[in-house]
Amino acid sequence: MKNKINITGKTLIDLGFRSGKWFPKAIEHINTHQLADEAMHAYLEQYKMPPIQELHKTAIDFKINIKAANELEKDNVTKVTDSMKELMKTPTIINGAVMPDACPSGPKGTIPVGGVVVAKNAIHPGMHSADICCSVMLTDFGKTDPKKILDAAHASTHFGPGGRPRGHQYQLTDELLAEFKSNFFLREDKDISMAREHLGTQGDGNHFLFVGTSTKTGNTMMITHHGSRGVGARLFKKGMHIANKFRMDISPETLKQNAWIPFDTEEGQTYWSALQTIRKWTKLNHEVIHDATLKALDLEAEDRYWNEHNFVFKEGDLFYHAKGATPLDKKFMPDITGPRLIPLNMAEPILIVEGATTENNLGFAPHGAGRNLSRTQHKRNKEGQTNEEIFAIETEGLDVRFFSKEIDISELPSAYKNAKAVRNQMEEFGLGAVIDEVMPYGSIMAGDFSINAPWRVKRRNRNK
C-alpha cells in the first residue's frame, strides 16, 4: 500500500517555489488528489515564477546634461545625480539621461523631473508619474489681438480642483469611450465619469494657458499646459498597485517607486494600451479648450501642434520613461505635426525647437526651466514682501491672471531656474535648436485656489 501523500509549505519551498497566497490552495489540491511525481509537477507548473531579478551591483551609466552655476544649483544637481545613481541600479534599466531643468521629485532613487530612463521590456508607472501625459499644445490664431484671445480663453477654460458640472461638459468621442470601456484599467464607472467631468479642465500647480506672439511670423499663439487630470491619476494608482505586486514576486529589493509591469504579460499589454487611451484623452482635453476659444472669436486655426513630456515611449522592447522631458525624435510621436514646445516661465518666451537624437540626449530635450527650491522654501525666501508687491514686480508689462483670483507666488518667474542658463545648456549639450519663440503677452494659471477652497470657506464661516 502506497504511503499517503501529505505535502506542506516546506515541500513546495524545497521544490524551489516562493511562498505565496496560492500555497494553501495548491497544498489542498495536491493532497486531496494524491498527486505525485510528474502529476504534481505538471499541476505546479502554473505557479512557476520567473527567477528573482537582483539590483545591478553598480549603477548603469547615464548622461548628465546639466551644470551648476552657484551653490544652490550644486546642491540641486547633487541630489538629482544621487537619486539617479540609486535608480539606475533597477534590474530593467539600461540607459538614462538628466536634462538641464532637472530637480528632485521624491525620496532618493526616485526619477527626477527632467529625467529620462530607458528600460528593457518593462513599464515603470512611477517613472511617468501621476500626471500622465502632461503636455503642451499650440494653436496659431493669425494676427488676432492677444487680449481678445486671452479673454475668450479665460471664459472657456477651467483651473483648480474638480471638473465641469453637468450642462457644461464636453463630449467624449464614441471611439474614446469604447476604449475606456474595453480596458480593465479604465472601465470603472468612476474612471468614465471623471473622463467626462475633467474634459476641458487644466488643474493647478504649474499648468497654464499662455498667449504670446511669434517672433518669426508676428502671429498670435495660444499654448496650454496640463496633463490627464483625475483620470490619469487613477490609472497611475492602479498601475503602481499592479507593478508592486510584480515587484514583490520578481524583484523585492527594487524600490517601491521603481516597480515595473513586465510588458510581455497581460497586465503589461493592457497597461500600455491604457496609456495610449489616456494620451488620446489628454490631447482631446487640449483641443476642446483651443476649439472653444476659436469658436468664441469666430476664427479658424492657422496651425496646431503638441507634445507630451510626462510619458513612456516605446521602441521595440525598449521603453523610454520621460519624467518632464520633451521628445525630440519623431519616432516617439506617432501623430507629429510640427516642432516641439518648451515653456520656461510666464515672463519668458515659449521656445519652439527641433533637434536630432544623439548619444547624449537619447532623443529628448528639457520640458521647461525646472526649480532649485521647493514651493514652500521659495515662499519662505519671499517673506517680508506681500504677494501683491512680488506679483507687481515679476509680472510688470504682462497680463497675468490667476483663475482663483488668489496670487500663487510659487508660480512666478523667480520660483524657477534661470531661463537663460537652461537655454545655454540646451545649446551646449545639443538638446534641441530654437527655431522660433512665442513672446509673452499674458497667461492664466490656477493660483492659490486652496485659500478659498470649499472646506476652508466652511471653516471660516463656522469660526465667525
Side-chain angles (χ1 to χ4, degrees), residues 55-89:
L55 298 175
H56 298 305
K57 287 190 172 68
T58 57
I60 300 295
D61 288 338
F62 59 96
K63 315 301 184 297
I64 301 175
N65 302 300
I66 185 172
K67 281 185 175 178
N70 54 51
E71 287 303 314
L72 187 63
E73 290 186 358
K74 282 181 183 177
D75 181 61
N76 178 72
V77 172
T78 297
K79 287 176 180 175
V80 164
T81 52
D82 285 351
S83 198
M84 279 290 286
K85 285 175 185 175
E86 197 64 35
L87 179 154
M88 298 299 286
K89 294 177 183 176

Side-chain angles (χ1 to χ4, degrees), residues 7-20 22-23 27 44:
I7 72 160
T8 64
K10 185 178 182 306
T11 311
L12 298 180
I13 291 170
D14 289 343
L15 288 171
F17 290 93
R18 299 197 291 275
S19 181
W22 58 273
F23 264 35
I27 291 166
L44 289 172

Side-chain angles (χ1 to χ4, degrees), residues 231-428:
V231 67
R234 281 178 59 82
L235 174 61
F236 165 76
K237 186 176 180 180
K238 294 174 189 177
M240 286 299 294
H241 177 72
I242 296 294
N244 193 48
K245 288 176 73 173
F246 276 108
R247 181 188 70 86
M248 291 188 291
D249 282 335
I250 62 179
S251 188
E253 289 186 347
T254 290
L255 294 173
K256 191 172 181 179
Q257 65 264 37
N258 295 331
W260 71 87
I261 306 175
F263 181 65
D264 56 3
T265 62
E266 181 185 2
E267 294 92 337
Q269 300 280 319
T270 310
Y271 190 74
W272 177 251
S273 179
L275 286 174
Q276 309 320 303
T277 299
I278 290 298
R279 183 180 190 273
K280 293 175 187 175
W281 183 92
T282 308
K283 187 178 183 184
L284 178 63
N285 194 23
H286 285 279
E287 288 172 342
V288 296
I289 295 169
H290 287 242
D291 289 347
T293 307
L294 287 165
K295 184 178 179 181
L297 297 171
D298 195 25
L299 294 171
E300 290 187 5
E302 295 201 9
D303 199 2
R304 177 177 290 173
Y305 43 89
W306 84 304
N307 59 260
E308 61 267 69
H309 49 243
N310 261 25
F311 205 60
V312 186
F313 305 89
K314 183 177 182 296
E315 182 186 26
D317 63 354
L318 299 183
F319 292 80
Y320 291 72
H321 299 75
K323 171 75 179 293
T326 300
L328 284 174
D329 199 314
K330 292 179 180 179
K331 69 187 177 187
F332 293 133
M333 297 189 69
D335 52 2
I336 188 70
T337 59
R340 316 303 179 272
L341 302 163
I342 302 178
L344 297 168
N345 66 58
M346 62 174 66
E348 293 286 339
I350 289 180
L351 309 180
I352 300 178
V353 305
E354 289 182 338
T357 296
T358 67
E359 187 179 341
N360 226 44
N361 66 32
L362 304 184
F364 291 85
H367 88 300
R371 299 174 185 266
N372 283 317
L373 294 173
S374 69
R375 295 173 187 273
T376 303
Q377 187 58 53
H378 176 72
K379 288 179 179 179
R380 286 199 193 108
N381 289 355
K382 293 293 183 179
E383 288 176 356
Q385 292 177 282
T386 67
N387 286 354
E388 289 72 20
E389 288 170 340
I390 301 166
F391 178 81
I393 293 168
E394 298 201 26
T395 66
E396 185 178 4
L398 300 174
D399 184 352
V400 174
R401 311 173 186 185
F402 288 113
F403 200 76
S404 64
K405 297 184 172 60
E406 298 290 347
I407 296 168
D408 181 358
I409 63 169
S410 71
E411 286 303 334
L412 296 179
S414 63
Y416 289 89
K417 291 186 179 185
N418 182 280
K420 184 178 180 181
V422 172
R423 291 187 65 167
N424 288 342
Q425 289 180 39
M426 284 177 59
E427 185 174 350
E428 179 180 351

Side-chain angles (χ1 to χ4, degrees), residues 146 210-215 217-221 436-441:
F210 177 105
V211 175
T213 306
S214 161
T215 57
T217 66
N219 287 359
T220 307
M221 314 286 201
D436 194 6
E437 299 174 89
V438 184
M439 305 305 292
Y441 164 79

Side-chain angles (χ1 to χ4, degrees), residues 16-48:
F17 290 93
R18 299 197 291 275
S19 181
K21 292 181 180 178
W22 58 273
F23 264 35
K25 178 184 174 183
I27 291 166
E28 181 183 6
H29 182 88
I30 292 168
N31 290 337
T32 299
H33 294 86
Q34 291 292 285
L35 301 181
D37 303 327
E38 289 184 11
M40 181 173 68
H41 287 287
Y43 170 76
L44 289 172
E45 191 68 27
Q46 64 186 301
Y47 298 112
K48 244 185 172 179

